[in-house]
């Protein structure tokens, strides 16, 4: 079996590759990276491809004719999407459509995972969000993901392409880059511990409650969806429990011996902050047997240790 | 005695981790070069992470290498870094050449500039022989690489020789044949077989799909091979050495041994799959380690059967641990 993962060098991509390498040891793994120097040093055949360039995608897909596609590559930050809405929309929609069109042209029907997002849902009333909730994105990123999601549905309906849609709620874990709340906190703590930052931790809004899932549980869900999900269906991926940002902060601080002052920085606030976002993953559980396995605290500890490592490397002369 | 300090590039790989262990046991201070934005997996060195120092550096960035050498002032440098996945060298030929070939020049030049007394080891590869010109292959056998990776390794080999002759560096190159261990990636046939044998034993899989059964390889144990690297840098004069067992085994024998370790008959679980057949497997890669044996007093200690047994046992243990958690 030949598997293509776009965005192979990204946060989720690296975890997915690790998972696939052990779950499907016979699979031939291919990954796309934007820059050759991001090549991942696993047993993955890396291809330097700009997914927004239709001709490059066409050459890749017609040459590989993959049996599975995990389309992870995207501009993934809601915050960044407010700074560059057009770039986010163009990038995420073009990459998705180019992949689908390239498969059509090559006459192949790989099972393709479209990575949508819980950001496509509206604020809701705080109760568990099912896949039937109305689409009401609150960021350009959310709109781009809604478009990817609907393109996936449309080409399933119009062309019978076996496309599956994953709608992950917040995910976190080792390897996540700054720009997301968990690594933002953990990197600051690691820098403070290393003496590379004043002992003041800057935070945004601490009251929102989010449904956090460990990235390693997320990638397991992705594979289960691709292998066992219903083509055309959308699947929430969620732990079905919420934690506040405050709880995340307190947990991370409890792992550190440093004395740290917390300070609110208004620049870290999002224009629209949904108070509670809780996912319902009943469909995923029913169709694939998936369950999250990693406790919230464990993920944060792994992330903090990873950030300590990164800070050690960055501060080494 | 002057403290002995080693810098290893590619420390997170199979060989890097064994070499780091080996040098630590001999009282070395061990440094590992890793990319600042490393996406590498640190699994193989996790158990020794507290005893080694990782420093940032990039094989594509001359300044970072010169800086690292100047900062650490190692007595020995082991260059194990490479884009070493042969298939990726086809999709990323330029990048492969940049890291695997030019990276060697950058490192050698950093040594030349900072301190030409530093001893240097270059990880050359039997992939350089490719379409073999003689059997068995020795140090004098002409190279005929068959992939962009092999071509890049040939460049790395010759630039090492060139710096040795031009600048009088103590630069040696080890032409290593296949060397395996429990830390081998699953993409290599040995580990694929031992991993599957363990999975089948534990009821986690029921068959193993595999290509040519009669393909033969010269397989040694990585732990033995890193000792050869070290020995090369302890000699008065630098030189090049083939490191191999000199013996080949077939994939069929590998299957027999691996499945025997779990009391199963491989024939009941193995399916030959044309998808895994490689068309051009006609060349017999087998090294002649006579020079290393004579000059270094090196010889492989772990036999093929012991190696496979070690790998199967490790796979069984790992799988049992992951089932528990």
């Amino acid at each position: 079996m030949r598997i293509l993962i776009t965005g192979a060098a990204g946060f989720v991509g690296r975890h997915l590759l690790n998972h696939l390498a052990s779950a499907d040891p016979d699979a031939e793994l291919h990954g796309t990276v934007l820059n050759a120097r991001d090549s991942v040093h696993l047993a993955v055949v890396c291809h330097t491809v700009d997914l927004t360039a239709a001709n490059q995608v066409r050459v890749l897909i017609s040459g590989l004719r993959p049996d599975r596609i995990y389309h992870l590559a995207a501009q993934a930050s809601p915050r960044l999407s407010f700074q560059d809405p057009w770039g986010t929309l163009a990038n995420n929609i073009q990459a998705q459509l180019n992949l689908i069109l390239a498969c059509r042209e090559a006459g192949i029907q790989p099972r393709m995972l479209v990575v949508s997002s819980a950001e496509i849902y509206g604020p809701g009333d705080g109760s568990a969000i099912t896949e039937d909730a109305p689409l009401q994105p609150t960021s350009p990123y959310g709109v781009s993901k809604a478009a990817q999601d609907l393109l996936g549905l449309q080409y399933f309906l119009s062309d019978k392409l076996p496309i599956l849609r994953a709608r992950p709620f917040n995910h976190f874990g080792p390897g996540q880059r700054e720009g997301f709340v968990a690594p933002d906190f953990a990197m600051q703590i690691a820098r403070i511990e290393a003496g590379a930052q004043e002992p003041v931790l800057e935070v945004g809004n601490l009251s929102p409650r989010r449904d956090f899932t460990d990235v390693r549980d997320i990638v397991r869900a992705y594979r289960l969806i691709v292998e066992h999900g219903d083509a055309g269906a959308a699947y929430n991926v969620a732990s079905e429990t919420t934690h506040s940002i405050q709880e995340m902060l307190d947990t991370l601080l409890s792992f550190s011996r440093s004395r740290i002052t917390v300070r609110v920085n208004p620049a870290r606030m999002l224009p629209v902050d949904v108070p509670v976002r809780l996912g319902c993953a009943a469909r995923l559980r029913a169709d694939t047997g998936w369950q999250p396995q990693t406790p919230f605290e464990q993920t944060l500890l792994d992330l903090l240790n990873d950030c300590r490592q990164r800070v050690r490397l960055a501060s080494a002369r | 005695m002057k403290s002995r300090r080693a810098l290893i590039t590619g420390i997170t790989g199979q060989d890097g981790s064994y070499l780091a262990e080996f040098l630590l046991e001999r009282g070395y201070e061990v440094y590992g070069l890793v990319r600042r934005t490393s996406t590498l997996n640190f699994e193989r060195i996790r158990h020794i992470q507290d005893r080694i120092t990782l420093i940032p550096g990039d094989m594509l960035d001359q300044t970072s290498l010169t800086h690292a050498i100047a900062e650490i002032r190692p007595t020995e440098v082991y260059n194990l870094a490479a884009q070493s996945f042969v298939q990726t060298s086809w999709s990323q030929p330029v990048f492969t050449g940049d890291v695997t070939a030019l990276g060697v020049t950058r490192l050698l030049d950093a040594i030349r500039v900072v301190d030409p007394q530093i001893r240097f080891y270059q990880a050359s590869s039997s992939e350089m022989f490719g379409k073999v010109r003689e059997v068995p292959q020795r140090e004098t056998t002409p190279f005929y690489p068959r992939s962009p990776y092999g071509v890049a390794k040939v460049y790395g080999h010759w630039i090492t020789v060139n710096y040795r002759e031009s600048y009088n560096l103590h630069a040696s190159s080890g032409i290593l044949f296949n060397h395996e261990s429990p830390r081998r990636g699953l993409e290599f046939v040995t580990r694929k077989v031992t991993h599957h044998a363990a999975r089948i034993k534990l009821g986690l899989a029921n068959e193993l799909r595999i290509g040519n059964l009669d393909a033969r390889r010269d397989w040694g144990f990585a732990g033995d091979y890193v000792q050869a690297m070290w020995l090369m840098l302890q000699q008065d004069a630098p030189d090049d050495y083939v490191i191999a067992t000199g013996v080949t085994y077939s994939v069929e024998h590998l299957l027999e041994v691996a499945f025997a370790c779990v009391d199963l008959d491989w024939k009941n679980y193995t399916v030959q799959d044309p998808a895994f057949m490689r068309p051009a497997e006609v060349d017999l890669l087998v090294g002649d380690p006579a020079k290393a044996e004579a000059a270094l007093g090196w010889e492989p200690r772990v036999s093929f059967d012991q190696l496979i047994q070690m790998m199967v046992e490790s796979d069984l243990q790992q799988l049992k641990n992951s089932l528990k958690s």
Side-chain angles (χ1 to χ4, degrees), chain A residues 24-27, chain B residues 186-201 204-213 251-259 262 264-274 276 312:
Chain A
D24 290 319
D26 284 344
Chain B
L186 286 165
E187 70 277 18
F188 292 89
V189 67
T190 48
R191 181 77 198 290
K192 175 176 168 174
V193 167
T194 63
H195 186 71
H196 270 85
R199 284 171 71 101
I200 291 168
K201 178 68 180 178
L204 298 171
N206 39 36
E207 65 171 29
L208 164 61
R209 306 189 81 81
I210 198 143
N212 305 4
L213 293 180
V251 171
E252 183 170 334
H253 182 71
L254 162 64
L255 288 163
E256 269 170 31
V257 176
F259 279 80
V262 290
L264 296 174
D265 183 349
W266 67 275
K267 293 197 184 88
N268 299 333
Y269 302 95
T270 305
V271 181
Q272 266 199 293
D273 186 338
F276 294 110
V312 173

Side-chain angles (χ1 to χ4, degrees), chain A residues 9 14 18 21-23 25-26 33 36-37 39-48 309 313-317, chain B residues 34-36 39-42 49 54 56 58 60 67 71 82 85 87-88 91-92 95 186-187 192 196 199 276:
Chain A
R14 279 175 282 140
N18 275 334
S22 60
D26 284 344
V33 293
R37 47 191 312 170
S39 291
V40 269
H41 291 239
L42 275 162
V44 178
V45 185
C46 280
H47 305 265
T48 310
Q309 168 95 278
L313 270 184
S315 60
R317 298 219 24 236
Chain B
V34 291
R35 281 193 295 169
R36 203 180 280 275
T39 57
L40 292 172
N41 194 338
F42 290 91
Q49 216 168 342
L54 297 180
D58 187 333
L60 301 185
H67 192 82
E71 194 72 24
F85 193 39
Q87 283 92 319
T88 287
S91 62
Q92 308 264 23
F95 173 69
L186 286 165
E187 70 277 18
K192 175 176 168 174
H196 270 85
R199 284 171 71 101
F276 294 110

Side-chain angles (χ1 to χ4, degrees), chain A:
Chain A
M1 179 159 58
R2 188 175 280 173
I3 304 179
L4 174 66
I5 296 113
T6 71
F11 165 51
V12 181
R14 279 175 282 140
H15 285 284
L16 178 62
L17 285 169
N18 275 334
H19 176 60
L20 292 177
S22 60
D24 290 319
D26 284 344
E28 182 185 313
L29 301 177
H30 293 260
T32 72
V33 293
L34 202 47
N35 300 304
R37 47 191 312 170
D38 293 335
S39 291
V40 269
H41 291 239
L42 275 162
V44 178
V45 185
C46 280
H47 305 265
T48 310
V49 177
D50 177 357
L51 295 170
T52 64
N55 57 335
Q56 291 185 28
V57 178
R58 216 176 286 135
V59 169
L60 175 77
I61 295 294
S62 62
L64 281 182
R65 305 180 68 84
D67 304 298
R68 304 276 185 273
I69 298 178
Y70 291 83
H71 176 40
L72 308 181
Q75 193 299 92
S77 162
R79 191 179 305 168
L80 212 63
S81 80
F82 281 104
Q83 292 160 25
D84 184 12
W86 193 234
T88 301
L89 285 163
N91 180 77
N92 293 0
I93 295 171
Q94 278 177 355
Q96 181 67 71
L97 191 53
N98 285 340
L99 278 168
I100 291 174
L101 294 179
C103 288
R104 266 180 95 220
E105 259 189 59
I108 57 168
Q109 301 214 322
R111 286 176 73 84
M112 184 192 306
L113 186 77
V114 168
V115 177
S116 177
S117 168
E119 293 279 329
I120 66 176
Y121 299 125
D125 58 2
S127 60
I129 297 170
T130 69
E131 289 84 354
D132 302 325
L135 301 191
Q136 224 175 342
T138 55
S139 67
Y141 168 78
V143 175
S144 77
K145 284 288 157 181
Q148 279 190 252
D149 190 296
L150 292 174
L151 279 169
L153 175 62
Q154 179 240 298
Y155 279 98
F156 166 72
L157 295 173
S158 63
D159 288 64
K160 296 281 170 289
L161 290 183
I163 294 175
L164 300 114
R165 294 170 286 154
R167 295 174 176 173
F169 285 64
N170 293 57
H171 39 300
F172 66 150
Q176 194 172 21
R177 278 171 210 160
E178 285 177 276
F180 299 88
V181 61
D184 277 357
F185 290 170
M187 283 299 283
Q188 290 190 70
I189 292 172
R191 282 199 200 96
I192 290 167
E193 289 176 342
Q197 177 179 328
E198 293 294 303
V200 179
L201 197 157
E202 295 205 343
V203 301
N205 192 351
L206 293 176
S207 62
R209 301 189 67 84
R210 290 287 179 272
D211 186 329
F212 290 100
T213 305
D214 187 285
V215 63
R216 293 158 290 197
D217 288 328
I218 295 265
V219 298
R220 233 170 7 88
Y222 286 177
R223 178 174 171 274
L224 289 170
I225 291 169
V226 166
E227 296 303 328
H228 306 295
D230 277 342
Y235 289 92
N236 283 347
V237 184
S239 70
E240 307 190 296
T241 166
T242 65
H243 293 272
S244 69
I245 308 298
Q246 180 79 55
E247 283 166 39
M248 172 181 280
L249 176 65
D250 293 343
T251 306
L252 280 168
L253 287 172
S254 77
F255 295 139
S256 182
R257 295 210 184 118
S258 299
R259 294 180 67 123
I260 296 174
T261 311
V262 174
R263 187 166 66 204
V264 175
N265 178 352
R268 287 181 180 262
M269 302 277 190
L270 275 182
V272 180
D273 233 341
V274 180
V276 182
R277 189 176 274 140
L278 169 66
C280 167
R283 181 180 290 169
L284 175 63
R285 283 189 279 106
D287 284 9
T288 73
W290 178 82
Q291 289 283 354
Q293 289 172 349
T294 317
F296 182 72
E297 293 74 18
Q298 184 63 50
T299 308
L300 288 174
L301 183 59
D302 291 347
L303 171 62
L304 180 59
N305 283 332
D306 168 56
C307 289
R308 286 168 172 157
Q309 168 95 278
R310 282 189 252 169
V311 168
R312 265 200 296 278
L313 270 184
S315 60
R317 298 219 24 236

Side-chain angles (χ1 to χ4, degrees), chain B:
Chain B
M1 195 181 89
K2 193 179 159 201
S3 79
R4 297 198 291 179
R5 196 175 282 183
L7 172 64
I8 304 173
T9 71
I11 195 168
T12 55
Q14 168 187 263
D15 293 2
S17 66
Y18 278 107
L19 180 62
E21 278 174 23
F22 179 90
L23 295 173
L24 284 170
E25 279 166 28
R26 269 152 197 80
Y28 277 75
E29 287 175 52
V30 175
Y31 290 77
L33 189 84
V34 291
R35 281 193 295 169
R36 203 180 280 275
T37 55
S38 185
T39 57
L40 292 172
N41 194 338
F42 290 91
E43 212 49 61
R44 293 192 182 95
I45 52 168
R46 187 144 294 156
H47 62 295
I48 49 172
Q49 216 168 342
D50 296 337
R51 297 194 283 150
I52 60 181
T53 309
L54 297 180
I55 57 136
D58 187 333
M59 297 302 286
L60 301 185
D61 176 5
Q62 179 72 59
T63 313
S64 77
L65 297 180
T66 309
H67 192 82
I69 301 274
E71 194 72 24
I72 300 168
R73 297 306 290 265
T75 51
E76 297 172 6
V77 171
Y78 294 86
N79 182 36
L80 311 185
Q83 189 303 99
S84 61
F85 193 39
V86 174
Q87 283 92 319
T88 287
S89 80
W90 291 104
S91 62
Q92 308 264 23
V94 175
F95 173 69
T96 301
D98 209 351
V99 175
T100 309
L102 291 179
V104 186
T105 313
R106 294 190 186 98
L107 203 50
L108 282 165
D109 214 56
I111 290 171
R112 178 183 70 80
V113 169
V114 174
D115 177 5
Q117 296 303 309
I118 296 171
R119 296 187 172 195
F120 178 79
Y121 171 81
Q122 167 61 15
S124 286
S125 162
S126 58
E127 289 281 329
M128 303 191 304
F129 293 121
K131 186 174 174 184
V132 302
R133 307 279 86 188
E134 64 176 330
V135 179
Q137 294 85 49
R138 43 179 71 90
E139 293 78 5
T140 50
T141 304
F143 300 132
Y144 199 134
R146 301 272 266 171
S147 68
Y149 168 74
V151 172
K153 278 292 182 188
V154 170
Y155 176 98
H157 183 82
W158 281 114
I159 200 69
T160 302
V161 173
N162 183 252
Y163 267 60
R164 173 166 81 217
E165 294 174 351
S166 305
Y167 300 110
N168 217 15
L169 295 190
H170 194 296
S172 294
S173 167
I175 305 169
L176 269 55
F177 282 63
N178 293 53
H179 43 292
E180 320 296 307
S181 79
R183 300 179 200 167
R184 204 56 153 148
L186 286 165
E187 70 277 18
F188 292 89
V189 67
T190 48
R191 181 77 198 290
K192 175 176 168 174
V193 167
T194 63
H195 186 71
H196 270 85
R199 284 171 71 101
I200 291 168
K201 178 68 180 178
L202 297 175
L204 298 171
N206 39 36
E207 65 171 29
L208 164 61
R209 306 189 81 81
I210 198 143
N212 305 4
L213 293 180
D214 46 1
R216 301 184 75 87
R217 292 278 183 285
D218 179 335
W219 280 300
F221 171 50
D224 287 343
Y225 285 37
V226 300
Q227 186 205 13
M229 302 177 184
W230 175 77
L231 283 169
M232 287 177 216
L233 300 205
Q234 311 316 309
Q235 306 305 307
D236 291 335
D239 207 339
D240 305 319
Y241 301 91
V242 162
I243 304 298
T245 68
V247 183
T248 63
Y249 290 96
S250 65
V251 171
E252 183 170 334
H253 182 71
L254 162 64
L255 288 163
E256 269 170 31
V257 176
F259 279 80
C261 292
V262 290
D263 301 315
L264 296 174
D265 183 349
W266 67 275
K267 293 197 184 88
N268 299 333
Y269 302 95
T270 305
V271 181
Q272 266 199 293
D273 186 338
F276 294 110
M277 300 274 185
R278 290 217 228 150
E281 272 190 283
V282 287
D283 294 307
L284 186 59
L285 271 178
V286 53
D288 176 1
K291 180 177 171 184
E293 285 172 4
L296 305 175
W298 176 85
E299 57 181 16
R301 280 180 285 199
V302 175
S303 74
F304 179 75
D305 288 23
Q306 288 170 329
L307 168 65
I308 298 308
Q309 192 172 352
M310 179 198 310
M311 292 173 68
V312 173
E313 279 166 12
S314 160
D315 276 318
L316 276 173
Q317 198 55 51
Q318 271 185 36
L319 288 166
K320 283 178 188 163
N321 289 347
S322 67
L323 286 176
K324 261 183 247 158
S325 65

